[in-house]
Amino acid sequence: MSTEQDAARAIEAVFRIESARVIAAVARVVRDVGIAEELAQDALVAALERWPETGVPDNPGAWLTATARHRAVDLVRRRETYARKLAELGRDLDEAAWDPDIEDAGDGDAIDDDLLRLIFTACHPVLSTEARIALTLRLLGGLTTDEIARAFLAQEATVAQRISRAKRTLAKAGVPFEVPYGPERAARLESVLEVIYLVFNEGYAATAGDDLVRPALCEDALRLARVLSALMPKEPEVHGLAALLEIQASRTAARTDASGAPVLLADQNRSRWNRLLIRRGFAALTRAGELGGAPGPYALQAAIAACHAQAPTYEDTDWAAIAALYRRLAAIAPSPVVELNRAVAVSMAEGPGAALAIVDALAADPALHAYHLLPSVRGDLLERLGRHAEARAEFARAAELTRNERERELLRGRAAGR
């Protein structure tokens, strides 16, 4: 590989790390995330042209930010009168003596504020869930359109259109580039947390495809959760989400065998669980509790994950405590999926008969009509009750419903009595 190719790869790696902060800083000037991303890409092109000759600056992020902001300032000057924008943007436009090699990283607090604004903008509820996820991975995760498409088993053209439409929607709706305050803040924060949670879940248990786990998506979501908890240290649910993802991610290596086949929780080698991630999760959960107030949905789910992490073996799991936590979760965030999970805990704490009554009551819920885990859980309960023929029929039905090949193989095996 040539030196130029090596340099280009190094520059692109730097850009992936720094791109979110560059876009955030530029978006504060132009007030449009689509234009901000284009200007950040322009800065990348400038780096690809200049750095192979001059070398990578000591602070490449500051260089990229300064370059992109300079271009943003030029754009603003061209679009509107300088006097008006000078009054509006003040020192942001005082760039006449600009030199990208004077590496001023700027005010760290201002950079963090910009990054937080970008997170809230990309996750704005005016966008569909799919659009929020794609735009967040693009702007904050630094993923290419192709990488997002491969992660979600979608066509690249579809993802590109989704991202472009999201940017247009934000611009058309006049979504302000700001962190919300007051009554709107809670609803907007809920949208941000949901996006990060959904990205992690798709990596932790892929909806479709040949792989059960996609670690790269888990890592992207975990990084976003950590960034958010650093930017919003006084929000308990932010720490609750971080705790949940840290603890869940600790099990990733043990969830599949060498061939990629799923390994059920009862059969996992707990020595393969990542103790560092568990400790980080426990620390985040403690911080959430110290901030006071009743725990939210993510903190409660983190507490459930902590119960699993604390148990040295599957048999030592405090299922009664987990069932109680699911009851509390159902009270504040009711859903048939929460009830199904509660049924699993009840089956371990009180027996499969008590849990089967809960599951059967969920059978008519339209939200679970095509949810493969409903017949999967029911099959497990029936098997434990000795009703093997019925259990095999449920596993076969679950296998038909899932779109993940690895899960389908596991369920077909159970349907065949293996």
Side-chain angles (χ1 to χ4, degrees), residues 119 212 301 315 338 375 387 392:
I119 291 172
L212 178 72
Q301 290 179 76
E315 291 71 24
V338 170
R387 296 160 60 178
R392 286 194 292 271

Side-chain angles (χ1 to χ4, degrees), residues 236 283-293:
L285 187 56
T286 298
R287 285 195 293 275
E290 289 172 346
L291 288 168

